[in-house]
Amino acid sequence: MLATLVTAVIDGLAGALVRVEVDVAPGLPGCHIVGLPDAALSEARERVRAAIRNAGYQYPASRITVNLAPADRPKRGAAYDLAIAVGILVASGQLRAGGEAIALLGEVSLDGSLLPVPGILPMVATLVRAGYGRIGVPRPNAAEAGLVTGATAIPLSGLDDAARVVAGSRGRRARAAHLQVPVRVSGPDRQQVIETAGPDADGARRAPAGVALDGASDPVDLSEVRGQPAARWALEVALVGGHNLLLVGPPGAGKTLLARAIPGLLPPLDEGEAIESTVIASVAGLLGPEARLRRERPFRSPHHTCSYAAMVGGGPRLAPGEVSLAHRGVLFLDELGEFDRFVLDALRQPVEEGRIALARASGQVVYPARIQLVAAMNPCRCGFSGDPERACRCSPSEVLRYQRRVSGPLLDRLDLRVELRRVPSEELLAMDDPEPSAVVAARIVNARARSLLRNGGRTNAEISGAAIVRAAGLDRQTRSRLAEIAEAATLSARGVHRLLRVARSVADLNGEPVVDEPALLAAASLRDPREADPSALAA
Amino acid sequence: MIGDESAAAERAAWLALAAVPGIGAVLFARLVGAFGSARASLEAAAAGQLGGTGRELGIPAPARRAIAEGLEAAATRAGALAELGLWTLTPLDAAWPGRLAVVAELPPVLYGWGDPNVLSAPRAIAIVGTRRPTLVGRALTSRIATAVALREAVVVSGLAIGIDGAAHAACLAAGGRTVAVIGAGHRSPGPTAHRDLVRRAIDGGGAVVSELHPDLPASRGTFPRRNRIISGLADATVIVEAPRRSGALITGSHALEQGRPLFVAPGRPEDPATAGCLDLLAESDARPVASIAHLIDDLGWERQDSVLRARLEPPEEERGWLPGSVEQELARIVAAGPATLDALVTRTGLPPGTVAGALTLLQLRGWVRPMHGTYLAAGPLLAGRVGRAAPSRPRSA
């Protein structure tokens, strides 16, 4: 008998419909799955067989053929498990579909329960678009599935549950045999409490805990960062315009503390951005049982031991990496000097193009990755370069080499640079309380809104060179000042545009309609003096 | 001098002998002392009579053989001089600087680029210090070098990175002439980062000199030894910042041995960066540099600050620019010592954007120079063009 069901897989950030056909016929017992790569084949087969038997059904001793169509589409993830298992039940006559049409998503565990899968959001969206409004999903994914308009998410605890729903009131279901009672398994992040008795019992299932958090621990309020007025101002300018920022300073200067205040200062995502961000988190498997639309601008802070795949994306499932998880938000790299150089090199494409292309043997995908970079580094090995009163133990060429090595790949892309110094504790205590995050965030939001309005929805960092020149609106005197700066600093055209972008953000922060001379001069001081004049170092 | 011809011959022999590898100041002096003249030494060697006396004097065998090769071989070695465009100065020449008379182990020859007459300038001050100075040390060096350069003194130093380089650069910026004494032959004229400084020193009417043959590289002993020439070419030596065991302290010792005044900038007690300076002040006749004004007084030079400041007036086209009140205030603070942007914001109480913009303007005008995020005084500000905060003592800068 042939059974046909509908499920879906993830293709990049979108879902893709997959039709499951199951045929059970007399013949040499065995299960042949067509349309999957070999490794996934046998895995799915084993999972499904164990799940069917442990859920109390019979695994047919016949020739089972399963087809996942279309055959040539790459199928990652194991969301098709449930459809295959139910298909086998239907095709072997143990279950007759009686209810409304329903699409099925979920990975089966060996004991017949259902495990949540990543990417529910886009998969459900695709199914709804294709006309399948009723979708059975694992219980922990129900909230996420419910985010999609037009979807009726049916939470399912296990294979038996799914069979019941598929059968509906008029279908028929063979009574499951007495369940074998699996040994209770308890571990650090899996709590499975399985209640036994009859087939109608709904085992209470709790989702596996340990769903990844956002990467940011409790945000720091800006009022906790004392001193560092220059760095705080530079941070404001950077957040207004979306400019990439480099914080340079010795250990203990407060770079990390300042960066941890960023989440409290980021403006919220708009509707479109929020959906984008939530989909990415979904595909990465980060939306937990309490899934909701994510309004907060992402702030990712990977440790410097972060691998290439974790940063950029990849792995067997081509999961999105940190650069995509930080899409529309901030990627903070602390201890820039400790990051693997290849990992830093890989950031070029996201920073330049706003996306990252991944190609593996299992397929190709392009994820969005429009990020704002904030990085922190020491000025040199010993940390004291530039300190007015401590002699740096490094020679000037060592300092130069260190800075080039550390920020080399990103040197071209860091628009702002600011130095922090350690402030002695007596001075810190004597200072007034600085402004709290709420006040500063409001200022940032206002300034940013002004710029978005003027730029047609893009930040100052995102608009083209010609557009920023227009947006700057320099008068004659300011233009000649710009020429003076450009010559003194030997700026290329790109350098001039970059300076104008930052100046435009300074002016937005000041509430000025055009970039005036003070804004231009202030922006010039934040420029990274990339090519340090060697004789300046020597003398 | 017996006659032009024999004088020329003696000079040629002198150069040839001095260029022999292995013959330095000491051995040269012994040879000439034993045989009476350079020419006589070469003739003795050519006649094979150098053996016994040579060994007694301590001349190593390879050197004895090289001397025997005489003038022909010397001509080859002299090719290096022409190739590099070097002049030579010997004690036989009228232009030989009289100051060097006090130097122990007088160098038989000086090779040089630039103007040899600058070595005999009426006023010359040596400024030396550590290769890894603090920004405060750098700033002080620049101020001292500017102050002496404005008073027509030549600044002598060793072209090393750090204090030496800062001294040369500040002198040139103030329009003065500077002399660099390098510790190797001219084929390796100092650190790569200072190549431009070499060119500017020469273009500015100064000189780059060495007692070593151009082909000789730097080696362990050459740097401490050349320090005696630095102090020897100057009327007085100033050490700005030196930890213990810094080479600059050797220059100071030579100055004292040569009977020349030594000035040392004191640092903070127990600060390792200036520990060498404090030791010198405690244990020798070195005098402290309490301020630029004190130094000028101790050198016996006139003050005339307003006259000198006028020499650093900006060119005609920039006259239109007057520093605003914010720029003035910032300039005053930076003139007194290097300051970070944060420090300037805290001290003035102005918004960071305003301070940052004013600093950019000052930088464009050449009044301040950022170095690794800290701002130092530069150009006119070094000469005190903008009024500094009045010091508490009655004597004003």
Side-chain angles (χ1 to χ4, degrees):
Chain A
M1 204 165 83
L2 182 71
T4 310
L5 299 93
V6 169
T7 183
V9 291
I10 282 290
D11 188 6
L13 285 184
L17 207 83
V18 167
R19 210 171 61 246
V20 176
E21 301 166 329
V22 183
D23 179 65
V24 172
L28 222 51
C31 178
H32 307 270
I33 306 188
V34 180
L36 277 182
D38 289 321
L41 251 177
S42 41
E43 285 175 17
R45 186 169 48 216
E46 298 313 315
R47 279 197 302 269
V48 166
R49 177 161 72 180
I52 289 180
R53 290 170 59 194
N54 289 327
Y57 294 90
Q58 274 200 345
Y59 194 75
S62 319
R63 187 188 172 81
I64 309 174
T65 312
V66 178
N67 183 33
L68 302 179
D72 59 351
R73 160 166 291 131
K75 299 161 189 89
R76 279 178 282 119
Y80 41 66
D81 275 5
L82 181 58
I84 295 178
V86 169
I88 293 179
L89 292 182
V90 172
S92 58
Q94 298 177 70
L95 174 63
R96 189 161 68 200
E100 296 171 47
I102 182 171
L104 295 173
L105 295 172
E107 176 182 333
V108 297
S109 183
L110 297 187
D111 62 2
S113 57
L114 281 187
L115 294 175
V117 292
I120 285 289
L121 192 51
M123 287 195 282
V124 167
T126 302
L127 288 170
V128 166
R129 265 198 304 273
Y132 297 92
R134 258 184 112 222
I135 305 164
V137 296
R139 201 169 285 274
N141 284 139
E144 189 180 334
L147 290 176
V148 180
T149 13
T152 311
I154 318 277
L156 302 171
S157 313
L159 184 54
D160 202 44
D161 207 9
R164 184 177 47 81
V165 170
V166 167
S169 50
R170 290 183 296 132
R172 189 171 58 79
R173 188 163 68 106
R175 297 315 253 174
H178 186 78
L179 285 174
Q180 295 159 337
V181 180
V183 175
R184 174 190 298 231
V185 172
S186 67
D189 52 358
R190 266 186 71 98
Q191 296 169 47
Q192 288 271 336
V193 176
I194 300 177
E195 288 169 2
T196 64
D200 291 330
D202 252 338
R205 309 261 189 265
R206 275 184 227 114
V211 176
L213 295 172
D214 222 346
S217 36
D218 298 326
V220 162
D221 193 282
L222 204 52
S223 57
E224 298 174 47
V225 181
R226 286 166 171 269
Q228 313 294 1
R232 292 159 83 233
W233 171 68
L235 182 60
E236 263 192 71
V237 175
L239 292 178
V240 164
H243 309 291
N244 299 327
L245 170 69
L246 178 64
L247 304 169
V248 181
K255 313 182 291 290
T256 310
L257 193 65
L258 191 62
R260 282 179 38 213
I262 292 179
L265 299 174
L266 291 172
L269 299 169
D270 68 29
E271 185 81 28
E273 293 171 334
I275 293 176
E276 238 184 338
S277 180
T278 311
V279 167
I280 295 174
S282 164
V283 172
L286 291 183
L287 289 186
E290 294 92 30
R292 54 181 177 76
L293 194 63
R294 297 165 137 220
R295 286 287 187 173
E296 317 82 45
R297 206 161 282 272
F299 176 81
R300 302 293 302 183
S301 165
H303 194 255
H304 56 73
T305 52
C306 181
S307 71
Y308 187 89
M311 177 67 79
V312 150
R317 313 242 181 226
L318 283 181
E322 293 289 343
V323 296
S324 298
L325 293 172
H327 177 62
R328 301 279 180 209
V330 168
L331 181 69
F332 174 52
L333 305 175
D334 204 357
E335 306 281 359
L336 194 59
E338 304 297 315
F339 276 84
D340 183 274
R341 209 194 156 89
F342 290 113
V343 172
L344 289 185
D345 263 338
L347 292 175
R348 246 192 255 270
Q349 192 184 27
V351 173
E352 278 176 28
E353 298 176 34
R355 63 206 191 101
I356 183 83
L358 304 172
R360 300 282 180 284
S362 52
Q364 299 168 344
V365 75
V366 175
Y367 287 130
R370 190 167 286 286
I371 55 177
Q372 176 177 7
L373 269 182
V374 175
M377 65 182 260
N378 292 338
C380 63
R381 269 227 146 83
C382 73
F384 291 117
S385 163
D387 190 304
E389 297 188 344
R390 306 276 302 263
C392 173
R393 286 197 286 277
C394 321
S395 75
S397 59
E398 279 175 2
V399 173
L400 199 54
R401 243 180 299 139
Y402 180 90
Q403 302 213 349
R404 279 216 199 99
R405 176 178 72 80
V406 165
S407 54
L410 298 176
L411 213 45
D412 259 4
R413 287 283 142 197
L414 292 161
D415 310 307
L416 305 180
R417 175 201 172 106
V418 71
E419 321 257 346
L420 288 83
R421 301 264 165 270
R422 248 173 20 94
V423 186
S425 30
E426 322 84 58
E427 270 187 55
L428 280 180
L429 291 173
M431 287 175 181
D432 295 328
D433 281 337
E435 293 174 305
S437 289
V439 172
V440 180
R443 222 172 24 231
I444 294 176
V445 162
N446 282 336
R448 198 168 157 125
R450 269 195 287 275
S451 75
L452 290 174
L453 197 59
R454 186 187 54 240
N455 299 339
R458 325 241 309 257
T459 60
N460 290 331
E462 288 172 333
I463 63 179
S464 70
I468 193 62
V469 171
R470 268 196 311 271
L474 301 181
D475 64 26
R476 204 156 60 101
Q477 171 169 347
T478 314
R479 242 204 308 277
S480 76
R481 184 70 73 200
L482 174 62
E484 200 186 337
I485 296 175
E487 182 171 332
T490 52
L491 290 181
S492 63
R494 200 167 78 163
V496 168
H497 290 154
R498 189 200 309 247
L499 177 59
L500 281 179
R501 288 199 185 90
V502 176
R504 181 66 264 188
S505 297
V506 172
D508 282 328
L509 202 49
N510 295 340
E512 298 293 333
V514 294
V515 171
D516 55 7
E517 201 179 326
L520 182 67
L521 290 171
S525 77
L526 288 173
R527 213 182 51 83
D528 189 348
R530 220 151 293 121
E531 303 89 40
D533 177 13
S535 60
L537 277 182
Chain B
M1 301 294 155
I2 299 168
D4 274 350
E5 213 189 272
S6 60
E10 172 62 9
R11 190 172 193 277
W14 189 282
L15 288 176
L17 189 58
V20 171
I23 301 293
V26 176
L27 293 177
F28 187 98
R30 288 188 194 158
L31 273 172
V32 170
F35 289 95
S37 74
R39 226 172 137 191
S41 311
L42 286 181
E43 282 162 6
Q49 291 160 0
L50 198 49
T53 328
R55 270 195 298 277
E56 268 172 42
L57 294 175
I59 318 268
R64 294 203 298 272
R65 281 195 290 274
I67 302 175
E69 286 162 16
L71 287 162
E72 296 79 39
T76 329
R77 276 180 237 119
L81 300 179
E83 182 195 330
L84 290 167
L86 287 168
W87 43 255
T88 53
L89 260 190
T90 70
L92 304 170
D93 304 325
W96 180 257
R99 284 197 188 91
L100 287 178
V102 298
V103 173
E105 295 162 14
L106 191 73
V109 65
L110 282 180
Y111 304 93
W113 282 326
D115 180 6
N117 294 314
V118 72
L119 302 177
S120 307
R123 286 180 178 172
I125 299 292
I127 304 180
V128 296
T130 174
R131 279 177 169 77
R132 293 179 185 178
T134 63
L135 289 173
V136 169
R138 252 186 232 280
L140 185 57
T141 305
S142 299
R143 285 176 54 203
I144 296 176
T146 305
V148 307
L150 284 178
R151 292 169 176 81
E152 311 280 2
V154 167
V155 169
V156 184
S157 191
L159 204 64
I161 54 178
I163 300 283
D164 289 11
H168 289 303
C171 172
L172 289 171
R177 298 181 295 167
T178 187
V179 170
V181 184
I182 56 181
H186 279 75
R187 266 198 220 286
S188 341
T192 330
H194 283 174
R195 288 293 145 84
D196 192 58
L197 206 47
V198 165
R199 188 187 51 79
R200 288 192 289 145
I202 297 170
D203 289 347
V208 177
V209 303
S210 172
E211 70 173 322
L212 299 171
H213 189 270
D215 291 331
L216 284 179
S219 64
R220 223 154 201 235
T222 57
F223 283 97
R225 287 182 52 73
R226 66 109 149 110
N227 288 347
R228 78 193 194 285
I229 300 182
I230 294 180
S231 59
L233 282 174
D235 301 317
T237 297
V238 181
I239 303 181
V240 179
E241 193 175 67
R244 297 208 165 98
R245 307 197 315 190
S246 165
L249 301 174
I250 299 178
T251 316
S253 310
H254 283 304
L256 291 174
E257 283 163 16
Q258 292 158 1
R260 300 261 166 85
L262 174 63
F263 297 92
V264 177
R268 288 196 304 251
E270 300 181 331
D271 184 359
T274 51
C277 292
L278 289 176
D279 287 348
L280 261 184
L281 284 170
E283 299 160 7
S284 76
D285 289 336
R287 288 177 250 175
V289 177
S291 71
I292 310 284
H294 282 108
L295 178 63
I296 301 296
D297 281 352
D298 285 346
L299 287 169
W301 296 352
E302 62 292 334
R303 299 280 201 91
Q304 293 184 342
D305 286 340
S306 52
V307 170
L308 296 171
R309 270 186 228 140
R311 292 182 57 196
L312 284 179
E313 280 295 319
E316 190 64 53
E317 54 273 16
E318 282 179 20
R319 289 276 171 84
W321 180 73
L322 288 170
S325 58
V326 175
E327 285 92 19
Q328 290 249 21
E329 198 182 340
L330 294 177
R332 256 197 297 277
I333 301 176
V334 175
T340 61
L341 180 53
D342 276 343
L344 291 168
V345 167
T346 312
R347 285 176 66 172
T348 58
L350 295 167
T354 311
V355 177
L359 282 171
T360 304
L361 206 49
L362 287 171
Q363 195 183 334
L364 284 175
R365 291 285 159 266
W367 284 31
V368 303
R369 191 160 59 90
M371 187 144 188
H372 302 311
T374 304
Y375 290 88
L376 290 83
L381 201 53
L382 275 179
R385 187 176 180 277
V386 177
R388 271 174 262 159
S392 50
R393 298 175 53 106
R395 300 210 288 200
S396 64

